[in-house]
Amino acid sequence: MSILITNIKQLLQVHKHNLTVLKGSDMQRLTVKENAYVYIEHDTIIEYGKMENCEGIEAETVIDATGKIVLPSWCDSHTHIVYAGDRTSEFVDRINGLTYTEISNNGGGILNSAKLLQDTSEDDLYIQSIKRLDELIKMGTGAVEIKTGYGLTVEAELKMLRVIKRIKRESLALITPTLLAAHAIPEEFRSKKQDYIKLITEELIPKAAKLNIAQYIDVFCEEGYFDIKDTEAILKAGSKYNLRPKIHVNQFNILGGVALGVKHNALSVDHLEELNKDDIKALKNSNTIPVALPGCSYFLGIPYTPARELIDAGLPLAIATDYNPGSAPSGNMNFVVSAACIKLKMTPEEAINAATVNGAYAMGISNMYGSITRGKKANLIITKPMNHYSEIPYAFAHNPVEQVIINGQLL
């Protein structure tokens, strides 16, 4: 299969040499080629350039992108899309004044999702989850990290991993699986948390490793969930099976999780709605990327990640959806890019960089995804006609995507 996209008004994120991450002021740079083309063979970007140099290139499929923008597909580095049912009733409870913590203490929240998932068959869970992923792909997402965490028993967590493996096998999108057994403390372990941590470290992690599905390990490091000591014990157990950390930190409270993540060479530290100078200091000179989740802040009405502090300190930043049934029930990366501009005060260039190359870095895949570079995978968005790429975040409630190419296939 070969595809030639011609007459591209603006071709974004173009790099002659491989780019894996952008930091600090470099995030302001978005390389743009006007009046351009891209040539794809099979699943790979083979060539790109100005239209005047396109003569002689033949392809089985030719797409005229006159007036349109072409850019790499979104890389969503933080999702929980494998879940059962929904939590609409809790949405109404929150409107009526209950807080996220109060809902959780009343048996709702993550525990509610866990009960639903435990009672859902593996096939049904797959059908619900692949439908969500297909919706994300249509909105321009080509790579997705998927976490477990709604099982909270050994068997249910392994069931989630098997569903993620099936999704990875069946979908054209690139999937990176993460084990998040330490998402909440099950009701039966409420007064004996250490027993649950022992279950995770001594039984679940070894059994998960035998399935050879998960690439990363995650912990919800937060008051009322898992503290620093708990988190470190779980990360150490995961490291024995080559599971690299990608951890939830600083959503509601600062416990020291950022520095802990850096200490254990976490690929990413995610949320960071709360942040202090020690966190920024810890991230400097590390390979750990902070990830902001503005959809969660929007839905819960909590503070937004202070993106300007991170970027102005010379750090990289990725943005992701946190797609989950309780605190961010949307996987629309177009909205996340808009929210990054409107609420995190990021420029369109910074937001697009955060959702493409830096999103790919936060998944460990930026060698092959996230930019328009010869030899990288052909995961591309072709927008509807527009005057400039800034219209993508500007028109925040509209879908800018007209066509999507995933793994070299036009969908």
Side-chain angles (χ1 to χ4, degrees):
M1 181 70 179
S2 59
I3 298 174
L4 177 63
I5 311 173
T6 62
N7 301 311
I8 301 167
K9 184 179 181 67
Q10 292 180 317
L11 180 62
L12 309 185
Q13 199 63 279
V14 179
H15 295 275
K16 184 176 181 181
H17 302 291
N18 194 19
L19 177 77
T20 57
V21 68
L22 286 166
K23 301 179 180 182
S25 59
D26 287 343
M27 288 187 66
Q28 281 277 9
R29 296 189 295 105
L30 180 63
T31 311
V32 180
K33 195 171 285 293
E34 309 275 351
N35 190 29
Y37 76 92
V38 172
Y39 175 63
I40 297 164
E41 283 185 2
H42 303 294
D43 63 351
T44 304
I45 298 167
I46 300 299
E47 192 55 271
Y48 63 84
K50 301 284 280 184
M51 273 304 298
E52 60 200 53
N53 299 320
C54 183
E55 194 171 334
I57 298 178
E58 296 183 358
E60 295 167 73
T61 301
V62 178
I63 301 170
D64 184 355
T66 298
K68 301 170 187 178
I69 314 293
V70 173
L71 67 155
S73 294
W74 306 127
C75 297
D76 189 351
S77 67
H78 186 127
T79 84
H80 307 251
I81 68 169
V82 173
Y83 62 86
D86 60 56
R87 302 219 306 256
T88 307
S89 63
E90 294 176 14
F91 170 63
V92 176
D93 287 340
R94 215 166 42 252
I95 292 170
N96 289 327
L98 291 182
T99 66
Y100 182 88
T101 302
E102 286 170 338
I103 291 168
S104 178
N105 290 340
N106 290 339
I110 296 165
L111 298 181
N112 188 5
S113 287
K115 186 178 186 309
L116 282 169
L117 188 138
Q118 290 161 15
D119 294 338
T120 301
S121 73
E122 198 164 312
D123 283 343
D124 190 8
L125 186 61
Y126 168 79
I127 290 167
Q128 292 183 48
S129 303
I130 197 73
K131 180 181 178 182
R132 295 184 195 107
L133 179 61
D134 288 343
E135 290 174 351
L136 305 193
I137 292 170
K138 290 175 185 176
M139 292 188 286
T141 297
V144 184
E145 184 253 19
I146 305 177
K147 302 177 189 294
T148 69
Y150 288 125
L152 302 187
T153 67
V154 171
E155 182 47 47
E157 287 289 306
L158 296 178
K159 176 168 68 174
M160 291 188 75
L161 283 176
R162 291 192 296 269
V163 168
I164 295 170
K165 182 179 182 179
R166 187 174 170 187
I167 290 171
K168 185 179 174 107
R169 185 175 64 244
E170 300 293 334
S171 176
L172 286 172
L174 188 283
I175 306 297
T176 58
T178 297
L179 179 65
L180 175 59
H183 197 194
I185 302 160
E187 196 63 49
E188 62 269 30
F189 289 96
R190 181 65 69 179
S191 61
K192 45 183 180 177
K193 180 174 66 170
Q194 292 309 311
D195 288 350
Y196 183 57
I197 293 171
K198 185 176 181 180
L199 183 73
I200 292 171
T201 57
E202 297 184 9
E203 184 176 348
L204 177 55
I205 290 176
K207 286 185 176 180
K210 285 183 180 179
L211 293 179
N212 197 28
I213 298 168
Q215 296 171 247
Y216 302 100
I217 190 158
D218 197 347
V219 180
F220 187 22
C221 182
E222 183 56 67
E223 284 187 10
Y225 294 85
F226 299 91
D227 62 25
I228 289 293
K229 186 178 178 181
D230 304 332
T231 301
E232 184 157 42
I234 294 163
L235 297 186
K236 283 182 176 179
S239 72
K240 295 176 183 177
Y241 297 92
N242 299 313
L243 297 175
R244 188 175 179 185
K246 279 173 59 71
I247 58 176
H248 288 61
V249 296
N250 293 33
Q251 183 174 5
F252 302 109
N253 300 279
I254 297 173
L255 305 182
V258 172
L260 182 68
V262 170
K263 175 184 174 183
H264 288 274
N265 193 32
L267 178 57
S268 70
V269 285
D270 301 28
H271 274 291
L272 305 175
E273 289 88 349
E274 303 294 332
L275 194 70
N276 63 24
K277 292 179 181 178
D278 290 338
D279 295 327
I280 291 175
K281 184 178 178 181
L283 286 165
K284 286 189 174 183
N285 302 315
S286 80
N287 294 317
T288 301
I289 188 169
V291 179
L293 308 170
C296 176
S297 297
Y298 172 82
F299 193 73
L300 292 184
I302 62 176
Y304 288 84
T305 303
R308 287 264 53 95
E309 291 183 36
L310 292 161
I311 295 171
D312 293 347
L315 294 168
L317 182 65
I319 54 176
T321 64
D322 192 20
Y323 189 6
N324 75 82
S327 60
S330 170
N332 188 344
M333 280 293 288
N334 302 294
F335 169 74
V336 167
V337 170
S338 295
C341 295
I342 297 164
K343 293 297 187 180
L344 275 62
K345 307 304 179 187
M346 296 170 68
T347 66
E349 293 79 9
E350 289 171 334
I352 291 170
N353 282 327
T356 54
V357 65
N358 282 7
Y361 180 89
M363 297 173 68
I365 60 170
S366 59
N367 276 322
M368 293 301 293
Y369 295 86
S371 68
I372 308 293
T373 303
R374 295 177 187 92
K376 280 196 170 184
K377 296 295 184 182
N379 278 20
L380 306 175
I381 293 168
I382 304 172
T383 72
K384 297 170 183 175
M386 60 181 66
N387 293 317
H388 191 270
Y389 61 78
S390 294
E391 291 182 35
I392 295 172
Y394 166 74
F396 70 93
H398 296 264
N399 178 17
V401 177
E402 184 167 277
Q403 291 175 295
V404 174
I405 295 172
I406 303 289
N407 255 7
Q409 296 191 35
L410 178 64
L411 305 185

